[in-house]
Amino acid sequence: MKNLKTRKVLAFCMAAAMMAGVLGSCGGDTESSAPADGSETTAENSGGETSGDGDYVDLIWLSSGSAINEEDTSLVIQELAKQTGIMVQHNYVPTEKWQVLMASGDMEADILEVPSVDRQTLIEGGLIQPLDDLIAEHGPNIQKTMGHAIDYLKEYASYGQNHVYFLQSHQAPDMDVVYDSVPYNYGVAPYIRWDYYEELGSPEINNEDDLLNVLKQMQDAHPTNDLGRKTYAMSLEVTAGMWSYATMYSYYNGFEAVGPAYMVSRDTEDNLHNMLEEDYVLWGAARYYNKAWQLGILDPETFTQKGENVTEKISNSQAFYTENSWNNYNTVLGESVGPEAGFEPVLEAFPYAYAGGTSQYGWGFATAITSTTEHAEDAMKFLDYLYSEEGARLCYSGIEGVHWEYDADGVPAYTQETLDNRGNTEWDKANGLNKFGNWIGIDNMVPASDGYPVDLSQMPSMLKANNTALDEHYCELYNVEYPGQVGKVMEEEREGYKVVWWVGDTGSLMSTVPDEINRVATQVTDIMIKAFPKMIMSDTDEEFEKEKADCMQQIKDAGAQDIIDWVYSEWDAAKEKLATLE
């Protein structure tokens, strides 16, 4: 595949000038400083077939997805080209087209972002090439950043070929840096309408029953919304099947599912528990929602509605509870009600706060170099730059002197221009900060040589700058600077409380689930999906226990023990594999 094209300095300057118009005061030809750690990242030694007049090598990076393809002219992508001599265009194709390309033997690209389900096909079909020699010759930053993760990929991600075929992003060689970090807020947590909570006088909440009673008080205080429509404090959607019931409640009770059908979960000490145990966490989730049902605060449409129905009820103030932050309900409420209406997490209702998932071997996003590219060395040099300190800081935080700068004390911080414009769609598109999150080789919390995170948005001063008027109310109650710090307050003040980072290393080493186990898992899942609404809508404790017992017997008869035995055996084997890599 031929794709060597030239892009002259004039074209770059014209694009930079156009971007400068968007940035206003941020003009000029800004050079990034040399990496303090000695990373090999300059245009001279990282570029492809560049010439003295500034030509670039064009490469195509292909992903399977539905995003709109358009030429990227952001300042960050231009700076990446300037530093590496390589201009990368990131394109997407629908899943169907991706499958057609795999069948054709030519992915029509140089670099791929590879879905996990297609890795074996791409290797065995010869569509991607081994990276061992390329890393050895052109990947000094990859070698430094990934360390023994390279051995992991060779041993356990090459399907018996004993080569490195993929690079995984967000490497964190020192996991303590991740564990000690404090997110801006928690993606999974019990969130409640904070303005309504303040109306009640912010009553003390120490457990899930307290939380449910507070929600009942909110509903009693607001039985209908301004349109006269009935409210339910808790209105959810369960269209994702057992994931909807299992995931949220499990996380903030210190459990994470392992293996198929949610039959087995591990606790924070990596001990396994399963659904044939009476006190399994998933039965606890069903009981939690059943208590809400018996209090009259669970919307009966929970079992039939879709996400857009929940969003409408949230925006109309018909529901006062949600279990994650990624639906951006505060933005919706800010538009429909006002800036001081919205959700904040009540972490003290449960014994754990879920900070996120991580791995010492990087995220599951994997990149590969195609077998048909004529520019494998250039592709590797570009990827290597993304695993350098300078490349990571650039991709996360932008260009030094344009998007961020050092103050008089040597502390890096965003410029006022960046602080004022982050989140503005047009500005974000023109500048490209953190646009390439799935590509970056170093985890955002890892400190650069200056001692500060490569992602400057994770600095406490920057996190505090994100606070809304509602966040300020929340932070005042807990005496913190930004919402994520509340988890650390809970750890200090409550015995046994823990902020959890789930590490996926052991699970990633488990074997592919056999077809027979998958067939049993499908049957078990179908049984549970039908049984859970009945359990949750039980009007008495006795009725709930009967429905639960019936479900346990049905999944046992369907072969649940076979799934459990397979998971326990694989988990032990995976732990042994992991021990050989550490």
Side-chain angles (χ1 to χ4, degrees):
M1 182 183 71
K2 296 184 181 295
N3 61 1
L4 181 60
K5 304 174 183 176
T6 60
R7 295 172 179 255
K8 302 297 184 182
V9 170
L10 176 61
F12 173 79
C13 292
M14 289 177 64
M18 293 172 62
M19 291 304 101
V22 176
L23 282 170
S25 62
C26 298
D29 184 13
T30 303
E31 294 283 345
S32 293
S33 61
D37 65 349
S39 302
E40 301 179 28
T41 55
T42 65
E44 180 181 353
N45 60 33
S46 289
E49 298 178 33
T50 63
S51 66
D53 61 358
D55 297 346
Y56 299 142
V57 174
D58 274 2
L59 300 181
I60 299 297
W61 188 314
L62 192 66
S63 297
S64 173
S66 58
I68 297 173
N69 291 321
E70 55 185 359
E71 186 175 3
D72 186 353
T73 59
S74 69
L75 289 185
V76 167
I77 197 70
Q78 297 284 359
E79 186 68 17
L80 280 169
K82 183 178 178 181
Q83 292 297 320
T84 64
I86 299 164
M87 178 65 75
V88 169
Q89 173 66 32
H90 191 192
N91 290 340
Y92 292 84
V93 294
T95 302
E96 297 79 9
K97 176 66 180 297
W98 179 274
Q99 297 296 325
V100 170
L101 291 174
M102 286 201 299
S104 75
D106 186 349
M107 298 302 292
E108 298 181 3
D110 305 283
I111 303 171
L112 303 180
E113 182 178 332
V114 182
S116 58
V117 295
D118 294 327
R119 295 183 186 182
Q120 186 170 1
T121 300
L122 289 167
I123 291 174
E124 295 178 351
L127 294 167
I128 57 177
Q129 59 181 284
L131 305 180
D132 311 62
D133 292 341
L134 288 168
I135 292 172
E137 295 177 24
H138 305 290
N141 295 303
I142 291 172
Q143 295 176 55
K144 176 181 177 181
T145 299
M146 294 188 65
H148 71 282
I150 293 175
D151 297 328
Y152 161 82
L153 292 170
K154 181 183 296 186
E155 179 73 19
Y156 298 111
S158 68
Y159 298 92
Q161 301 300 311
N162 200 33
H163 288 295
V164 178
Y165 284 93
F166 309 103
L167 301 177
Q168 295 191 170
S169 63
H170 287 253
Q171 297 288 324
D174 182 1
M175 294 302 292
D176 287 338
V177 171
V178 177
Y179 302 147
D180 292 340
S181 65
V182 180
Y184 174 69
N185 216 330
Y186 296 89
V188 174
Y191 281 78
I192 63 174
R193 272 288 294 266
W194 197 256
D195 48 324
Y196 285 0
Y197 179 60
E198 289 184 320
E199 284 181 9
L200 298 175
S202 306
E204 188 173 358
I205 297 176
N206 290 306
N207 52 52
E208 66 179 56
D209 291 325
D210 289 346
L211 171 59
L212 293 173
N213 287 328
V214 165
L215 289 171
K216 178 69 164 63
Q217 293 175 53
M218 288 185 187
Q219 184 173 311
D220 290 344
H222 299 273
T224 60
N225 68 356
D226 292 342
L227 300 174
R229 297 174 183 172
K230 179 171 175 52
T231 65
Y232 285 97
M234 189 181 287
S235 184
L236 309 172
E237 65 155 327
V238 294
T239 55
M242 292 309 299
W243 184 91
S244 304
Y245 299 111
T247 305
M248 314 302 181
Y249 186 87
S250 294
Y251 277 164
Y252 40 77
N253 276 282
F255 291 89
E256 183 183 53
V258 176
Y262 297 94
M263 289 301 304
V264 179
S265 292
R266 57 168 171 160
D267 61 26
T268 56
E269 303 301 321
D270 269 355
N271 300 309
L272 298 185
H273 306 261
N274 67 77
M275 281 196 69
L276 297 185
E277 298 170 355
E278 285 284 340
D279 59 351
Y280 184 59
V281 66
L282 200 47
W283 304 126
R287 180 65 177 131
Y288 172 63
Y289 299 123
N290 173 249
K291 287 189 285 189
W293 175 266
Q294 291 193 39
L295 285 171
I297 63 173
L298 179 62
D299 186 352
E301 293 182 356
T302 286
F303 306 99
T304 56
Q305 67 189 352
K306 297 180 180 179
E308 54 263 34
N309 304 122
V310 176
T311 299
E312 180 182 5
K313 290 176 180 179
I314 292 287
S315 65
N316 290 334
S317 296
Q318 286 180 265
F320 320 136
Y321 170 90
T322 185
E323 296 183 316
N324 65 72
S325 62
W326 58 70
N327 286 314
N328 297 317
Y329 289 142
N330 284 358
T331 301
V332 172
L333 278 170
E335 295 172 353
S336 63
V337 180
E340 295 195 1
F343 292 86
E344 296 287 357
V346 186
L347 301 182
E348 57 266 46
F350 294 94
Y352 295 87
Y354 171 73
T358 187
S359 169
Q360 63 181 316
Y361 303 119
W363 284 10
F365 294 106
T367 54
I369 297 176
T370 62
S371 299
T372 53
T373 180
E374 296 178 1
H375 305 291
E377 291 184 2
D378 295 314
M380 177 54 64
K381 290 173 184 177
F382 182 83
L383 293 175
D384 187 65
Y385 184 70
L386 301 185
Y387 283 76
S388 72
E389 173 186 311
E390 185 188 36
R393 175 67 65 80
L394 169 62
C395 289
Y396 283 122
S397 307
I399 304 167
E400 182 183 354
V402 176
H403 301 110
W404 64 274
E405 57 194 5
Y406 289 102
D407 66 15
D409 297 321
V411 178
Y414 284 135
T415 62
Q416 193 60 47
E417 175 87 21
T418 303
L419 288 172
D420 291 344
N421 288 284
R422 281 189 314 153
N424 177 287
T425 302
E426 289 303 314
W427 190 92
D428 288 344
K429 179 180 177 182
N431 289 271
L433 274 67
N434 206 16
K435 181 178 180 180
F436 315 111
N438 293 351
W439 299 12
I440 305 170
I442 300 176
D443 191 73
N444 62 343
M445 290 306 306
V446 172
S449 298
D450 58 18
Y452 298 95
V454 287
D455 181 358
L456 297 179
S457 72
Q458 298 303 305
M459 293 178 62
S461 59
M462 297 298 102
L463 294 173
K464 186 178 186 302
N466 292 326
N467 283 356
T468 64
L470 182 71
D471 293 332
E472 292 293 343
H473 282 237
Y474 180 74
C475 293
E476 183 179 354
L477 180 65
Y478 294 98
N479 193 28
V480 297
E481 292 188 331
Y482 62 91
Q485 291 178 328
V486 174
K488 293 298 184 182
V489 170
M490 294 295 107
E491 283 189 321
E492 293 171 1
E493 295 184 353
R494 296 190 171 220
E495 184 177 356
Y497 194 92
K498 189 174 182 180
V499 177
V500 178
W501 286 91
W502 284 113
V503 181
D505 297 340
T506 304
S508 70
L509 295 174
M510 293 174 67
S511 302
T512 303
V513 181
D515 290 343
E516 180 56 36
I517 296 298
N518 269 328
R519 281 192 288 271
V520 176
T522 298
Q523 296 175 27
V524 167
T525 300
D526 289 343
I527 292 169
M528 292 192 294
I529 288 175
K530 293 175 182 177
F532 264 63
K534 295 180 181 178
M535 271 188 281
I536 292 168
M537 291 189 288
S538 297
D539 291 325
T540 65
D541 295 350
E542 291 76 18
E543 183 182 347
F544 173 86
E545 291 299 330
K546 179 182 180 303
E547 294 291 346
K548 171 186 168 183
D550 288 348
C551 181
M552 290 183 72
Q553 187 60 52
Q554 288 181 59
I555 62 175
K556 185 175 182 179
D557 292 345
Q561 189 64 53
D562 293 339
I563 301 174
I564 293 166
D565 291 344
W566 181 85
V567 173
Y568 276 59
S569 175
E570 277 297 316
W571 186 258
D572 289 342
K575 289 173 74 172
E576 291 180 6
K577 293 177 186 176
L578 185 62
T580 67
L581 293 168
E582 294 177 338

